[in-house]
Amino acid sequence: MGADTKSNAALFDCRDAYVRTVEELAVTDDRIVAVVNDSVGSSKLGKFRERFPNRLINVGIAEQNMVGVGAGLANGGKIPFVSGASCFLTARAMEQIKADCAYSNANVKLCGISSGVAYGELGATHHSIEDIAWLRAIDGMTVIVPSDPWETEQAIRAAASHDGPVYIRLSRMPVPALERTSTRFEIGKGEVLHEGADVAIIANGTMVHRALKAAAALKDGGVGARVINMATVSPIDKDLLADAAATGAIVTVEEGLKQGGLGGAVAEFCAESAPVPMRILGFPGFLPTGSASWLLDEFGLNAAGIASAAREVLDKRA
């Protein structure tokens, strides 16, 4: 059976799975440390600080310094989880992320909190829609966007074991726990959550459960939509993309910029290896101020919008 979500499903904050997993790792591995930018509260690391007071460093509102400190700790043999609002962590500290982490292959785990449009009404300064495009463009940076609490836990454990820099993008918007047949998470591998042969819908993060709802609506109309959770954007699962292209039509959907993110990664592969009609769903650029739910609906990042895009791309194929 494919994964699906129900209207009365319980909803979870992936930040809870993040901090719980980091705490569990810290118990058995004294190399695990946390670095924050005055974001202990929003990163939910208060209990970690109480439990490991000498293993949390709060640098204040100084993201460039925070990433540099994380790189220094990694060079000293620690495994730092560097947490902050993704809009500030990535935009303010890009040079340090590129030079001190990626190009130096520092074993730093960057955790972007409250990504996408989770901050809603705080406006464009707090939206983090460009981060995936920025980070996946940097050679040597692994980029992961978990879809639910289970995948968040698995991604954190995989990142801790991975030798090299990782960017993990977490939302504060509640999501349901997905049903899945696989209990194994692997960096660089996607997973099929719903089978279908007419069109492939490729999503990650907060968009996965919406893609599953779209697939259910399409099924009612006689369209078989394969839903792929592509949690790792870089390196991307090319074998699974080739299988997706075999359906003859692809829709990508992400809570981020249309240019350069998940959709860009899929389009690059398809252009060179498996050309098929595509629709890329995401935000077009600068966004108005509004609630997260309003912004998602306004730009078609919901089940109805995803289903509509699937029908449009199928019309192009015909």
Side-chain angles (χ1 to χ4, degrees):
M1 291 178 60
D4 208 339
T5 56
K6 302 176 177 62
S7 60
N8 61 348
L11 300 178
F12 303 91
D13 185 338
C14 289
R15 292 177 298 171
D16 294 326
Y18 162 57
V19 297
R20 182 181 66 251
T21 306
V22 172
E23 285 183 38
E24 291 174 359
L25 291 169
V27 170
T28 57
D29 190 341
D30 60 10
R31 296 176 299 167
I32 302 292
V33 295
V35 188
V36 296
N37 60 337
D38 202 27
S39 59
V40 173
S42 60
S43 296
K44 294 198 169 186
L45 284 164
K47 289 184 179 179
F48 183 96
R49 180 174 58 183
E50 293 175 6
R51 195 169 185 180
F52 308 103
N54 296 323
R55 291 162 66 181
L56 183 142
I57 301 170
N58 188 345
V59 303
I61 304 174
E63 287 77 11
Q64 293 173 328
N65 187 36
M66 176 177 67
V67 174
V69 168
L73 288 166
N75 289 338
K78 300 296 184 182
I79 302 177
F81 281 83
V82 178
S83 305
S86 55
C87 56
F88 304 129
L89 169 62
T90 57
R92 290 181 179 170
M94 186 57 62
E95 181 181 3
Q96 286 70 30
I97 291 172
K98 181 180 74 171
D100 296 346
C101 296
Y103 290 179
S104 301
N105 195 37
N107 197 27
V108 179
K109 317 307 170 184
L110 303 168
C111 298
I113 305 296
S114 304
S115 57
V117 294
Y119 279 130
E121 293 89 340
L122 292 180
T125 57
H126 285 63
H127 294 156
S128 182
I129 60 174
E130 305 90 350
D131 55 331
I132 297 300
W134 289 339
L135 271 292
R136 88 166 188 92
I138 300 176
D139 187 35
M141 180 64 68
T142 295
V143 178
I144 306 174
V145 188
S147 59
D148 71 353
W150 177 86
E151 192 166 52
T152 299
E153 176 183 349
Q154 300 306 311
I156 296 301
R157 294 186 184 280
S161 299
H162 177 76
D163 184 16
V166 180
Y167 176 61
I168 304 165
R169 187 194 210 234
L170 300 176
S171 179
R172 68 192 297 139
M173 289 193 288
V175 293
L178 303 178
E179 297 177 9
R180 34 173 57 91
T181 56
S182 174
T183 57
R184 183 168 181 255
F185 175 88
E186 183 178 349
I187 291 175
K189 295 294 183 182
E191 61 176 337
V192 176
L193 296 180
H194 186 279
E195 292 290 354
D198 297 321
V199 59
I201 302 173
I202 305 174
N204 59 21
T206 60
M207 293 296 105
V208 175
H209 74 276
R210 292 172 170 86
L212 288 165
K213 290 180 180 178
L218 289 165
K219 184 178 181 180
D220 290 341
V223 175
R226 181 181 307 171
V227 177
I228 295 173
N229 172 27
M230 194 65 75
T232 308
V233 181
S234 181
I236 202 160
D237 189 341
K238 293 182 179 181
D239 291 337
L240 193 54
L241 290 184
D243 291 342
T247 66
I250 291 177
V251 175
T252 65
V253 55
E254 58 199 299
E255 189 199 347
L257 197 65
K258 290 175 64 174
Q259 300 85 6
L262 174 64
V266 174
E268 289 163 18
F269 170 83
C270 290
E272 293 188 342
S273 302
V276 291
M278 275 190 67
R279 277 293 310 275
I280 299 175
L281 298 183
F283 294 115
F286 179 82
L287 298 177
T289 299
S291 69
S293 60
W294 178 80
L295 287 166
L296 294 176
D297 288 342
E298 180 71 9
F299 290 95
L301 300 180
N302 53 25
I306 297 167
S308 176
R311 295 186 189 100
E312 288 176 13
V313 78
L314 284 171
D315 289 341
K316 287 184 180 180
R317 186 181 68 179

